[in-house]
Amino acid sequence: MGSVPSTPRKGGAFSPETAEYLIGTFVGDESFPLSSEFWQKLLELPLNVQWPTHRVQQACELLAKNNCHTRHLAKILFHLACNLQECMSTSGVSPFVYEKAVNAVYISSVFLKHLIESVQGDNVQLYLSLDDNEAAHKDVLGDQTIENLVMKNVLNFIASVEVSSNTFLLHLELLNFMIIAMSTQLLCGPSPGPNDVNPFLDAAMAQDSTLIGSVVQRLLLNFIARTSVSFNRANYSIYYDGSQSSVLQRVGSAAANIVLFPFSFFISSSGEGSRNLIADISLHVLLVLIHYHKCVVSEDCSVIGNNKSSASDSLLKENPYFSDNPYCKALEHAMDCELDHVDIEGNAQSVRHIKLPFASLFDTLGICLADEAAVLLLYSLLQGNSAFLEYVLVRTDLDTLLIPILEALYNAPQRTANQIYMLLIILLILSQDSSFNASIHKLMLTGVPWYKERLLHQTSLGSLMVIILIRTVQYNLSKLRDVYLQTTCLATLANMAPHVHRLSAYASQRLVSLFDMLSRKYNKLADRTDNKLHNEKGNSIEGDSLVEDMSTELHICTDFLRLVLEIINAILTYALPRNPEVVYAIMHRQEVFQSFKNHPRFNELLENIYTVLDFFNSRMDAQREGGDWSVDEVLHVIIVNCRSWRGDGMKMFTQLRFTYEQESHPEEFFIPYVWQLVLSRCGFTFNAGAVNLFPVDLHTDERLDNGVGESTLQNGDFDKPEYQLDP
């Protein structure tokens, strides 16, 4: 290809032909050694010229064609690692050093992403190794692989270098690089297998435990801090070019479907975008890291008698297991930094606990729970970190977390099914604690402005939670019809029931109305099942199957109806004196219980309800003097007689207590879910045709919309500047 053109120093004039030539050389068929001056010239390139879409696509495709023998991807990743090391080891780093690192990570990200999403079948081959004759790398690499070196330096930089005006872009690009490097998971199936290829994720998992803890801590601190950074664009000539897009920005937005830098954000003078961007991407990276599960084969089964036969291979497939995730462990062992000064005797442990400001984390989560990713972080903390769960349960301002959760459930039609599951599981986890169930009824809300159906004034947080859970059950019955969702809602209400205190009139009415709604559904199902059983009896196999399905649905409805009765029964058994409004609601709608009085599944529970009804009805009759009673008069009689209630004749049932446990293979849900969240928010898309992790609508693939088709490429196409600069 000839000699490398001389590159002017920063601030000098730069030829578009030189830019064309350097990028063309990078993607071309001639391999340049690591020691070549070409790499420094490439990384000093101020990429402020524009390329047409088809030229950018050609660049990506040429690298994919030639990388197997040039190994230029591995080489630029090597230089990225070296540049990051320079950024961390030099005091008073100049902006030019950071700019070179930004160039390296930017170029690496764009072309790495294209190579990943262009993988055909199961053959994930990125050619990350270097030739043995590359002596320049041996002192740096040692026994490490390229991916291990890169991930170590990327993670070290993220963990050890503060976000500032000089380092902001580099932090942002490194976090984006992490997402792209880990996106090999999108090529894998929904269930992790031993043949999955995730080189960068595996390299991240293999890092030292101290570094891993520091990374988890830094990513969470980024999420918490959300600090405003005044980005000094003048330090980066690549991006300080008015409204024009750079070459690689064109690679990103046009051909590779990657938009790493939203210019509307950079132009914004408020600083709000910069404050949230690092926080959001840090959260995405953390979620991918903590939910990764590597499937491996037990070592003792890998070889039998050194005979690598097909029989041995078949045995390997039968003994897979998931290795521990060190990032998940670090998150689970995180402690509150406020406890640093407390010397707890006998609690010294070998595990290094990372320290986090739980108070700030709690407040930040409360602010951000409208974001589905923040909901998943809260779930991960509550489910895995007992110290954080205990901290949340002793907070007196639980409304900080609960109000946004309840508001999201109120707006369930605008939420994804997965988000609704996560929100409900969070409430179920919290409701497992009796102190939580008691404290939420002591916290009064002056108003709930987002609740439109009724004015909720001076309502307790506990009453609002009951109202929203019942509303979610009713929404599910009419729209989703999801048994798991229904069970989770009712399980949470059952945990709360014995601890209910001064449940509001509206919440009490909704509880009885829920029983009425389920009872009507039960009666319809029972009638339809009986009719089908009579009409289809012996007629056909299809008819028998239909009757069986209807019988199953009736059985499920029966279980739900009984659970609602147990919730009402628990309130009457353990908390009646504190809940006159519940008594009033039952008395007002007592006819809804009548048809189930002799039902074998419900009669024992209804006996208690009728014991309560008989007690209060008799008190009402004794004081009745003719004429209609007002609501206040009836409620007054109930309140007075609640004081004398002793529970005589009530049967005591064991309190229901539901707990949440993750399924045996949670990765089959969480890994696809995390990546769906990341791709919907990270600012770039992925070739839909390459995604195997979850079902994708191919019509949403923006590459098809851009009209980029297949082309036959020849090496050397980039030697000649055959394009025109955009005016």
Side-chain angles (χ1 to χ4, degrees):
M1 279 191 157
S3 61
V4 180
S6 60
T7 307
R9 297 300 300 165
K10 183 184 176 189
F14 200 90
S15 164
E17 288 76 11
T18 303
E20 172 91 0
Y21 181 81
L22 288 173
I23 295 294
T25 301
F26 173 69
V27 302
D29 62 347
E30 182 176 351
S31 177
F32 281 76
L34 284 170
S35 56
S36 170
E37 65 176 350
F38 161 75
W39 296 103
Q40 292 307 312
K41 294 182 182 300
L42 178 66
L43 298 184
E44 292 172 4
L45 183 64
L47 302 171
N48 55 1
V49 293
Q50 296 184 332
W51 276 6
T53 297
H54 72 279
R55 298 290 283 165
V56 174
Q57 180 68 13
Q58 286 175 351
C60 291
E61 292 177 0
L62 270 179
L63 182 73
K65 177 181 178 180
N66 295 320
N67 183 56
C68 58
H69 64 269
T70 65
R71 304 299 167 104
H72 278 184
L73 176 65
K75 291 172 184 177
I76 197 168
L77 288 172
F78 177 84
H79 282 285
L80 167 61
C82 294
N83 285 333
L84 290 175
Q85 190 64 46
E86 183 181 2
C87 291
M88 291 184 286
S89 61
T90 306
S91 58
V93 181
S94 71
F96 184 59
V97 174
Y98 289 127
E99 182 177 333
K100 286 173 58 180
V102 170
N103 284 353
V105 68
Y106 205 170
I107 296 171
S108 300
S109 295
V110 170
F111 289 100
L112 174 61
K113 179 177 180 292
H114 177 83
L115 291 174
I116 291 173
E117 65 181 350
S118 300
V119 166
Q120 299 295 323
D122 298 329
N123 184 26
V124 182
Q125 189 61 266
L126 300 176
Y127 301 103
L128 297 175
S129 61
L130 293 173
D131 295 334
D132 291 337
N133 59 5
E134 289 279 8
H137 75 276
K138 293 182 179 178
D139 292 340
V140 178
L141 264 181
D143 296 330
Q144 297 181 94
T145 60
I146 287 289
E147 57 266 33
N148 191 284
L149 174 67
V150 170
M151 292 305 282
K152 181 177 74 173
N153 285 6
V154 168
L155 294 171
N156 258 314
F157 185 91
I158 291 172
S160 62
V161 178
E162 294 289 336
V163 178
S164 67
S165 59
N166 284 335
T167 65
F168 173 81
L169 265 183
L170 185 51
H171 271 283
L172 182 61
E173 276 311 294
L174 289 173
L175 290 167
N176 276 308
F177 172 82
M178 288 283 294
I179 294 293
I180 290 166
M182 297 186 295
S183 69
T184 50
Q185 271 198 300
L186 292 168
L187 310 178
C188 306
S191 299
N195 296 323
D196 292 348
V197 179
N198 296 295
F200 293 97
L201 261 169
D202 291 340
M205 297 296 145
Q207 300 305 314
D208 178 78
S209 61
T210 302
L211 174 58
I212 288 172
S214 298
V215 169
V216 173
Q217 182 183 49
R218 172 55 57 191
L219 293 174
L220 281 169
L221 290 176
N222 286 348
F223 171 71
I224 293 168
R226 312 181 81 78
T227 50
S228 177
V229 174
S230 178
F231 170 53
N232 188 357
R233 284 181 287 167
N235 288 339
Y236 297 89
S237 60
I238 310 174
Y239 310 105
Y240 196 59
D241 58 351
S243 61
Q244 289 189 348
S245 298
S246 71
V247 170
L248 288 186
Q249 283 156 356
R250 271 306 191 91
V251 172
S253 62
N257 287 329
I258 178 171
V259 185
L260 299 183
F261 301 109
F263 264 64
S264 60
F265 149 68
F266 288 135
I267 295 169
S268 172
S269 60
S270 65
E272 289 294 315
S274 62
R275 185 179 65 185
N276 293 329
L277 198 55
I278 291 285
D280 293 344
I281 302 176
S282 295
L283 177 56
H284 297 157
V285 170
L286 178 64
L287 290 175
V288 173
L289 288 171
I290 65 174
H291 287 289
Y292 176 59
H293 284 73
K294 180 175 177 58
C295 184
V296 295
V297 176
S298 179
E299 291 182 1
D300 59 336
C301 298
S302 59
V303 178
I304 299 178
N306 294 323
N307 176 27
K308 298 183 179 180
S309 64
S310 60
S312 174
D313 291 341
S314 65
L315 185 60
L316 295 182
K317 297 176 183 178
E318 295 173 0
N319 294 277
Y321 70 96
F322 291 108
S323 58
D324 288 337
N325 183 319
Y327 293 86
C328 183
K329 293 294 182 185
L331 184 69
E332 290 174 350
H333 291 102
M335 301 292 290
D336 188 1
C337 62
E338 294 297 325
L339 300 179
D340 279 353
H341 63 281
V342 179
D343 183 17
I344 305 175
E345 186 176 354
N347 278 356
Q349 298 187 24
S350 58
V351 179
R352 179 182 177 271
H353 297 283
I354 63 174
K355 303 294 183 181
L356 294 169
F358 278 6
S360 299
L361 180 56
F362 180 93
D363 292 338
T364 304
L365 284 166
I367 295 169
C368 297
L369 284 178
D371 178 10
E372 204 167 342
V375 172
L376 184 52
L377 174 62
L378 176 58
Y379 162 82
S380 301
L381 286 164
L382 295 177
Q383 193 276 329
N385 189 308
S386 58
F388 186 74
L389 175 59
E390 290 172 9
Y391 174 83
V392 169
L393 292 172
V394 299
R395 287 282 295 230
T396 57
D397 57 342
L398 284 168
D399 54 316
T400 300
L401 288 184
L402 289 184
I403 291 296
I405 290 175
L406 297 177
E407 183 178 1
L409 288 174
Y410 176 80
N411 294 309
Q414 286 77 50
R415 307 294 175 179
T416 66
N418 287 341
Q419 185 177 7
I420 296 173
Y421 293 148
M422 289 293 99
L423 294 167
L424 290 174
I425 291 170
I426 288 169
L427 295 181
L428 177 59
I429 291 172
L430 295 173
S431 73
Q432 293 169 191
D433 184 80
S434 57
S435 65
F436 167 84
N437 294 323
S439 62
I440 57 175
H441 289 282
K442 298 175 183 176
L443 204 160
M444 299 302 296
L445 306 172
T446 56
V448 186
W450 44 263
Y451 195 91
K452 304 301 183 183
E453 287 81 356
R454 191 184 185 99
L455 180 63
L456 299 179
H457 183 64
Q458 289 299 320
T459 299
S460 71
L461 183 59
S463 292
L464 179 62
M465 188 166 162
V466 170
I467 292 167
I468 297 299
L469 285 170
I470 292 172
R471 191 176 188 274
T472 306
V473 171
Q474 293 171 330
Y475 170 72
N476 181 59
L477 282 172
S478 62
K479 300 292 184 182
L480 302 179
R481 300 184 181 182
D482 187 297
V483 173
Y484 179 79
L485 187 151
Q486 197 88 326
T487 303
T488 306
C489 284
L490 295 177
T492 305
L493 286 168
N495 285 346
M496 296 170 62
H499 311 281
V500 166
H501 184 86
R502 294 192 178 279
L503 195 66
S504 70
Y506 183 55
S508 303
Q509 294 165 17
R510 301 314 301 155
L511 183 58
V512 177
S513 294
L514 176 61
F515 178 84
D516 183 37
M517 182 179 182
L518 282 170
S519 66
R520 284 187 276 111
K521 181 177 178 63
Y522 171 87
N523 288 330
K524 287 181 181 179
L525 282 171
D527 290 342
R528 286 171 54 197
T529 303
D530 290 342
N531 291 336
K532 283 290 181 182
L533 189 61
H534 176 74
N535 295 332
E536 302 289 344
K537 190 173 182 180
N539 286 352
S540 65
I541 296 175
E542 291 81 2
D544 292 342
S545 176
L546 179 61
V547 170
E548 184 178 347
D549 291 343
M550 293 178 65
S551 298
T552 301
E553 189 176 359
L554 179 63
H555 180 74
I556 292 171
C557 187
T558 304
D559 289 341
F560 288 151
L561 197 55
R562 179 178 172 85
L563 189 49
V564 173
L565 280 176
E566 294 200 66
I567 292 167
I568 296 173
N569 192 77
I571 297 173
L572 298 179
T573 303
Y574 298 101
L576 185 148
R578 305 190 301 271
N579 292 283
E581 293 287 2
V582 176
V583 175
Y584 179 90
I586 292 171
M587 292 182 68
H588 183 64
R589 299 289 307 279
Q590 53 189 290
E591 73 281 354
V592 302
F593 302 104
Q594 184 63 41
S595 61
F596 298 95
K597 195 170 183 180
N598 298 317
H599 194 290
R601 288 289 307 277
F602 309 138
N603 58 355
E604 59 181 1
L605 293 168
L606 282 167
E607 284 179 12
N608 277 354
I609 292 176
Y610 274 96
T611 297
V612 172
L613 287 172
D614 291 343
F615 176 86
F616 285 95
N617 282 332
S618 64
R619 272 34 178 200
M620 291 285 297
D621 292 340
Q623 298 185 38
R624 189 181 300 276
E625 297 178 354
D628 294 333
W629 288 40
S630 69
V631 173
D632 290 339
E633 289 173 334
V634 174
L635 193 58
H636 175 73
V637 173
I638 292 173
I639 292 171
V640 169
N641 285 281
C642 277
R643 299 168 188 162
S644 60
W645 169 260
R646 296 293 179 267
D648 296 336
M650 297 284 284
K651 291 183 179 179
M652 300 298 291
F653 297 96
T654 304
Q655 285 190 21
L656 292 177
R657 187 172 184 274
F658 293 89
T659 58
Y660 169 74
E661 292 183 5
Q662 275 192 347
E663 295 183 4
S664 56
H665 293 287
E667 67 282 347
E668 294 181 2
F669 170 79
F670 285 105
I671 293 176
Y673 180 39
V674 166
W675 275 105
Q676 286 172 315
L677 285 181
V678 170
L679 289 183
S680 67
R681 289 162 172 78
C682 66
F684 57 85
T685 60
F686 198 88
N687 178 13
V691 176
N692 295 313
L693 186 60
F694 49 81
V696 179
D697 181 3
L698 291 177
H699 294 292
T700 63
D701 184 10
E702 291 184 9
R703 175 166 301 182
L704 300 177
D705 295 338
N706 287 335
V708 178
E710 296 293 328
S711 60
T712 303
L713 303 174
Q714 300 296 326
N715 290 311
D717 275 357
F718 285 81
D719 291 347
K720 302 180 292 295
E722 298 175 346
Y723 71 105
Q724 297 295 322
L725 282 173
D726 289 345

